[in-house]
């Protein structure tokens, strides 16, 4: 919670840095404060240079909000940088939630082929 407070104070002081918004958004997501997490993660993406991990964090925020249609393109984009079993498994689950079973099966097969994380 001290980290959350420190990040909030930095944002209140109008510090403008993509990583600040990414860390604040990820912290809020982990604490279950999903609407503010979405706001901060979207803000992070507005900077020219931002961490590719912001795509995963925002996608997981949308998964937690059960907005799979918004999560899927973000997970696909992130999988280009980080095609880990974990990312592919999450993408496959989202695809099955929106009843795209053929693509879900393909992605989940890739996840299994990739092996343990």
């Amino acid at each position: 919670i001290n980290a959350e407070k420190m990040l909030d104070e930095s944002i209140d002081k109008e510090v403008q840095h993509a990583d600040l918004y990414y860390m604040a958004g990820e912290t809020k997501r982990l604490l279950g404060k999903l609407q503010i997490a979405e706001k901060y993660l979207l803000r992070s993406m507005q900077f020219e240079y931002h961490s590719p991990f912001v795509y995963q964090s925002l996608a997981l925020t949308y998964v937690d909000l059960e907005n799979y249609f918004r999560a899927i393109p973000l997970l696909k984009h992130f999988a280009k940088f980080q095609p880990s079993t974990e990312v592919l498994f999450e993408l496959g689950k989202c695809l099955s939630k929106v009843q795209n079973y053929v693509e879900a099966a393909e992605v989940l097969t890739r996840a299994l082929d990739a092996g343990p994380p």
Side-chain angles (χ1 to χ4, degrees), residues 31-50:
L31 293 172
K33 300 174 181 180
L34 302 176
Q35 278 70 31
I36 193 76
E38 177 187 25
K39 175 184 169 185
Y40 287 162
L41 293 166
L42 287 170
R43 178 68 181 109
S44 177
M45 293 176 88
Q46 291 176 347
F47 289 86
E48 182 176 359
Y49 300 104
H50 55 269

Side-chain angles (χ1 to χ4, degrees), residues 17-61:
H17 197 282
D19 289 343
L20 169 63
Y21 285 94
Y22 163 66
M23 290 186 295
E26 179 64 2
T27 300
K28 298 293 186 184
R29 182 185 75 80
L30 293 171
L31 293 172
K33 300 174 181 180
L34 302 176
Q35 278 70 31
I36 193 76
E38 177 187 25
K39 175 184 169 185
Y40 287 162
L41 293 166
L42 287 170
R43 178 68 181 109
S44 177
M45 293 176 88
Q46 291 176 347
F47 289 86
E48 182 176 359
Y49 300 104
H50 55 269
S51 169
F53 289 95
V54 74
Y55 294 95
Q56 181 185 33
S57 294
L58 185 56
L60 294 175
T61 300

Side-chain angles (χ1 to χ4, degrees), residues 68-69 71-80 87-113:
Y68 305 108
F69 287 104
I72 289 168
L74 294 164
L75 286 168
K76 285 181 177 181
H77 182 78
F78 185 68
K80 292 177 188 176
V87 173
L88 294 172
F89 182 70
E90 196 63 50
L91 176 57
K93 286 190 331 186
C94 288
L95 289 165
S96 70
K97 292 280 189 183
V98 299
Q99 300 179 352
N100 187 341
Y101 300 119
V102 173
E103 190 176 359
E106 292 170 0
V107 170
L108 291 170
T109 299
R110 284 179 37 215
L112 290 172
D113 290 343

